[in-house]
Every structure is written in structure tokens, then in C-alpha cells.
Amino acid sequence: MSTNREIAILGVGMHPWGKWGKNFVEYGVKAARDALADSGVNWRDVRFVSGAATIRNGYPGQVAGATFAQALGWQGAQVNTSYAACASGSQALAAARSKILSGECEVALVIGADTTPKGFLKPQPGDRPDDPDWVRFRLGITNPTYFALYARRRMEMYGDTLEDFARVKVKNAKHGFENPNARYRKLFSAEDVAASAMVADPLRLMDICATSDGAAALIVSSVDYARKIGKGNAPRVAAISTVTPSFASALVEMPDIATDSAVACEAHSFRAALPKKAYEEAGIGPEDISVAEVYDLSTALELDWIEDLQLCARGEGARLVREGATSVGGRLPVNPSGGLACFGEAVPAQALAQVCELTWQLRGQAGARQVAGARVGITANQGLFGHGSSVIVKC
Amino acid sequence: MNAPTQQQDTTTPQPVLPGWFTLDVKQPQLLGTRCTACGTYYFPKLTTYCRNPDCDSESFEEVALSRTGTLWSYTSASYQPPEPYIANTPFQPFGIAAVELERERMTVLGQLATGTDLGTLKVGMPMELVLEPLDDGKLTWKWRVVGA
């Protein structure tokens, strides 16, 4: 697609991930102020505020866009709030892009922040057999169950080993060790992973990501505006894919207890569909990608994503990590930020955090975790209820 | 297809999800629905709108699903799941399987039969449905290796 479909990323900001005991608004304002300072844009010049909702912070969280706009000082901008599970940040970014490309505004703030309770994410209380989330927990099926089923499937189909999964953790820990915004900044060995408690065979505690508080924000604008303020070379958003799955589902997805039946319709992989749309929209292919930020809810899932992004053939993901290709310094670094392994998941902020990392990488500002010569980056994530996203950022 | 009739009295263990499976202890079956127009199966039962994008049917019949399939993948619950799961103290870890049903072309999750050793499992193994109580005594479906 032509460059007039692109928007510029003028500024990015984050509140470090962690359990800081603050309100989500404080995290968000910190991220927004950092993004504003990074962009050089005055708050009053932001004419659209696009928030990603948090479902864990009452009404202010449901109207997150307005909550942040008020905290930063009402100045008459238009406002929006998006909720799309793990893809909420990307949906909020897509809303900003639409406003900008339609000419309704030139500069927008896109923002997401969350506080998250410790431990397993739990369903709402009550006796609710009509709710698939209630049903699966009633039967003892937690989130790690799904990650573990996918991981075991890889072992049986492709010959992946526990050591391969541990390599992903060791690699991401090394990346995140260099990231001031990461929650966990500690180096781990394969022995550490193997010694951690079994959660859902074959996955151990250190194969599975935690939850976290955190916030991320972007200042985005039209390409014309970026040029006008002397930032014509700012990284561009080249694609935002937020497609739904196509019936029938090929994989049993959280929180379901069964796949769709593929009797009348062929089965489709949802994860693979997300980047496919992004590539089509950006008019580029996997061969153009220099860095990827993917949703490593588990170590094994990072390998699935690498294949879904078509960065290698199906079943070849483990080989890439064994060869060191996905490490910073390798030919195709994956999760240079440290990924969810080092951040923990802060749902409405996570997709935006991925875009922040790509922005730093493409500007050459990622410090010790810098991917040399990064020109094009892609993100991927997937959440509950048919939500997921893939964003392409390029120089 | 009609589901086998269910007869219950006070001595019969109660199902964890009434109407989700037959209470035939020897040959239990999951109870789903099937779209009368396009033939797509649903489990849990769907009786509202067919989810096939090319089918606008709102007509479904109840069907008993195949009670055998092949193992797609498996795992364990080594930590006690949160509520509404009800666990004995101390918590006894259990296995979980995903089983592919050939006729329905779908994969269904369930706990593994008590005593299943994960180390003996291989993807592709034939599996069958059995009924066992959960820790609170309510009956549920579980997957067991055929002949185990």
C-alpha cells in the first residue's frame, strides 16, 4: 500500500513494568508525559486521545481514554477507548490512524496502562455454566493448560525439546537484562529453567510469563505533520492487522473446551492469519523483517509465533533459536525487549509496548539490546475471544 | 439423532454440568448439537445461530458425539487451579488431554482418567470417553487410553 496510508511515530514512552502499588492512571500519565517529551509535541496540540481500556480498574478503566485525557488536563481533544483483550493497544492505535488518515486530526496520543492481580487470572465468581471461562476453570483447565498443549504438540510433531524451550527463556532473559523498562532483569541458565516448578507438563514456571502492572504510550501523527516539525524520518506504522479468526478454528483456544467442528468449513489458524493481513497491508513480506516482538505467553509459544510470522518454515522455529538467529546479534532477533518473559503481561499496555520497542530499535536507541541495522519490525499478539493484532513499523 | 434418556435418582452421582454428557457409565458420550443445514457440530451445545459464515441456520438437533478419538496433545495440572475448581486437600495433580474426533472434525479437552501416566502417552493414541467423579463427587467426562 502507498505511503499515504502510513502514520509517523513521533514519540514513545513507558512506565517500567513491575508491581509498584500505584493506580493505573499514574502509570499511564508517566508513559504519556515521556512520549510527549520524546515527540517534542505540546499536549495541547494532541487532538485525539485513544485509550486502551483496562477491565480491572472500575469505570475509570473502562473509559481509559477520557481518564488519561483528564489526568493530563482536559484540552478539548476528541477521545476514544478501545477494548480488545491483548490487542486493545493495537485497536487504539488503529483508531488513531483512522482519525489521522481521514484528516480529522494531525496528532494523537495512544495509551494503555494496567494493574494486574498476582497468580492465575481468575474468572468472575458465581455459578455460570453458560460461560466458557467458568466451565473450563470448573474442570481444572487454566491458561497454562493451553500453552502446554501447544508446547507438547510441538515436541511430538517437530521434535522440539525442553532444552529448546529453555533456550528461549535464557535468550529473552539476556535481552531483558539490558532493558530498564523490564520487570525481571535477571540472567537465567537452562538449569534454572529445568529446576523451576512444573506448572503444566512440559512447561515449568520459568517457561510461562507472569502478569504485571505497566503502561505504554505513543504520540502518532500524519506524515505531513512529522515533516512539518522536522521529524520526516520518524518510524512509520505501515500496517495494523486486527482481523478476527476465520471459522473453523484449527486450535483449541482459551477459554474454549473444544475447537470448532471443521465438517462444513476448513480449519484455519488464527495466529497465522494476523501477520498475513499485516504483510498484505504493508506490501512487504517476511523476508523484509529485521526484528520481531511476539507474545511469548510461554517459551514454546514464541516458536509458534516465529513460524506464524513466516520467518521460517513450520516446525523450524526451534532450529532458529538453537542457531542463535533469534538472539540480538543473530540474523533475525525476536523479542529484543525481553518479551513477556521479562515484562509480564499488562494487557492494555502490552501491544503498545511492542510498538515502543520497535520504535527504539528502528531509531537505533535500544542501547545494549540494539538490533544492528533494524529497518522493519513486526509485532504479534493474541488474546481472548478472537482478538489479536500484528503491527508493522518501518523506517 | 436422539440422546439416550437419562434416569437419575438420589443415589446417582450428579453431573458437574447437567446435560453435557450421558450418564451411561459403560459407554458415556458427550452431548452436543448439529446444525441441520450445514452439518457443523457444536460442543458445548449451540442452539442459537450457526457460526459457519456461509450458513444462516437457526435449527439444531441434539447429538451424542463420538466417544472415541485420537490424542492431539496432553498436559498436567500440577498446581491447584483457582475456583470454581474444587480440590481435595492436599491437591492431587491430574492430567488433561485434547482428543480429536474424526467424524466431528473437532478437538475436545477433558481431564485424563485418574492414574494415567503422562510418560506413556503419544500423540495419535486411540482414546475413549469415561466418567469419573471430580474431587467434590460431581461426575465429569475424562479421556482414557483405549484398553488401559
Side-chain angles (χ1 to χ4, degrees), chain A residues 39-255:
Chain A
S39 70
V41 170
N42 185 292
W43 164 234
R44 281 192 178 272
D45 293 333
V46 172
R47 304 315 300 153
F48 182 54
V49 177
S50 193
T54 159
I55 59 170
R56 280 177 274 273
N57 290 276
Y59 192 69
Q62 293 176 40
V63 295
T67 298
F68 295 126
Q70 184 188 37
L72 291 162
W74 296 127
Q75 35 78 326
Q78 296 192 83
V79 70
N80 164 75
T81 300
S82 302
Y83 188 72
C86 301
S88 298
S90 298
Q91 294 269 25
L93 178 59
R97 182 177 68 167
S98 295
K99 283 275 188 205
I100 290 166
L101 293 180
S102 71
E104 277 192 75
C105 81
E106 285 192 301
V107 191
L109 165 67
V110 186
I111 180 167
D114 207 1
T115 58
T116 316
K118 201 176 169 180
F120 285 125
L121 293 175
K122 291 178 207 171
Q124 304 287 318
D127 198 23
R128 290 171 297 111
D130 292 337
D131 175 357
D133 209 34
W134 184 90
V135 167
R136 54 116 174 188
F137 278 106
R138 182 72 180 90
L139 299 175
I141 295 167
T142 60
N143 295 8
T145 303
Y146 297 87
F147 314 147
L149 290 171
Y150 307 153
R152 174 62 64 181
R153 180 82 182 167
R154 288 195 63 86
M155 294 173 76
E156 298 250 354
M157 301 304 288
Y158 311 135
D160 288 14
T161 64
L162 299 178
E163 292 71 29
D164 292 328
F165 301 155
R167 281 184 185 97
V168 174
K169 174 68 178 183
V170 171
K171 185 248 321 167
N172 285 341
K174 196 174 169 204
H175 291 172
F177 185 68
E178 307 285 1
N179 191 341
N181 287 311
R183 176 179 178 190
Y184 301 104
R185 300 182 63 192
K186 190 170 176 235
L187 298 174
F188 290 107
S189 66
E191 292 72 27
D192 294 330
V193 181
S196 65
M198 183 66 83
V199 174
D201 189 291
L203 299 179
R204 293 177 176 274
L205 196 57
M206 290 179 60
D207 286 298
I208 296 168
C209 88
T211 58
S212 186
D213 300 354
L218 313 173
I219 301 293
V220 291
S221 77
S222 66
V223 171
D224 284 347
Y225 184 92
R227 288 199 187 102
K228 200 168 71 187
I229 65 165
K231 290 182 180 269
N233 293 327
R236 313 275 179 87
V237 175
I240 308 169
S241 164
T242 57
V243 294
T244 70
S246 288
F247 187 90
S249 60
L251 283 179
V252 59
E253 304 273 12
M254 207 155 62

Side-chain angles (χ1 to χ4, degrees), chain A residues 123 129 134 137-140 148-149 152-153 156 197-201 247 251 257-265, chain B residues 16 40-41 43 51-52 72-76 78-79 82 84-85 94 104-107 109 111 122-123 136 140-141:
Chain A
W134 184 90
F137 278 106
R138 182 72 180 90
L139 299 175
L149 290 171
R152 174 62 64 181
R153 180 82 182 167
E156 298 250 354
M198 183 66 83
V199 174
D201 189 291
F247 187 90
L251 283 179
I257 57 161
T259 63
D260 297 324
S261 152
V263 163
C265 294
Chain B
V16 61
T40 298
Y41 291 87
F43 180 76
R51 291 178 181 164
N52 171 356
W72 186 84
S73 191
Y74 55 94
T75 182
S76 64
S78 301
Y79 273 64
Y85 189 74
F94 54 89
E104 294 81 1
R105 297 195 64 191
M106 67 196 299
T107 301
L109 303 186
Q111 289 195 10
K122 285 297 290 176
V123 161
D136 62 354
T140 190
W141 75 90

